[in-house]
Amino acid sequence: MRVLLDENLDWRLVHYFDADFQVTTVSQQGWKGMRNGELLRQAAKAFDALITMDKGIEHQQNLRKYTIGIILISAKSNRLQDIQPAMDRVNEVLKTLEPGQVILVSLST
């Protein structure tokens, strides 16, 4: 499974994904600063999943029209130490994520 890590997340999170997943960042793709609609169009062509903290993406876009699953992480901040505890759950969710599906992975604060 090909996974895209959004620019609002620390790139070092790539080290916390299961070995089964091929993880690339938005920056590595040269897509930094791209608006959500364009990002989703481009990502859907090459990736199976997008991992993001952008809470607006679910409400700003018609996600059903994209062939990519989205995991929306909710945490205290986007700092590595605040997101890293969610990675076990993110890896679990990725195994069953369907195209067009949005799953919230939330950390208690």
Side-chain angles (χ1 to χ4, degrees):
M1 173 179 270
R2 296 212 45 202
V3 178
L4 183 64
L5 193 62
D6 202 356
E7 68 183 276
N8 59 12
L9 293 168
D10 192 305
W11 67 270
R12 295 173 292 181
L13 285 172
V14 299
H15 302 294
Y16 295 95
F17 285 89
D18 289 351
D20 299 342
F21 305 122
Q22 299 172 6
V23 184
T24 304
T25 67
V26 166
S27 287
Q28 287 172 318
Q29 286 295 116
W31 296 344
K32 200 169 183 179
M34 203 176 270
R35 298 182 71 79
N36 284 342
E38 182 60 24
L39 176 64
L40 286 167
R41 276 189 291 285
Q42 293 298 324
K45 294 176 188 176
F47 293 92
D48 303 299
L50 171 67
I51 314 298
T52 187
M53 283 189 77
D54 185 348
K55 292 177 177 89
I57 200 167
E58 190 173 15
H59 307 289
Q60 297 167 354
Q61 303 295 321
N62 177 5
L63 300 177
R64 293 184 191 275
K65 71 180 185 178
Y66 300 106
T67 57
I68 189 169
I70 298 173
I71 296 177
L72 181 59
I73 298 175
S74 177
K76 182 175 153 181
S77 80
N78 67 347
R79 294 179 358 203
L80 181 63
Q81 64 262 28
D82 291 332
I83 301 295
Q84 189 274 327
M87 292 310 296
D88 285 343
R89 180 72 180 127
V90 167
N91 282 298
E92 285 177 34
V93 169
L94 278 171
K95 293 173 184 169
T96 60
L97 187 66
E98 302 271 333
Q101 192 176 31
V102 178
I103 296 181
L104 175 65
V105 173
S106 183
L107 290 172
S108 300
T109 53

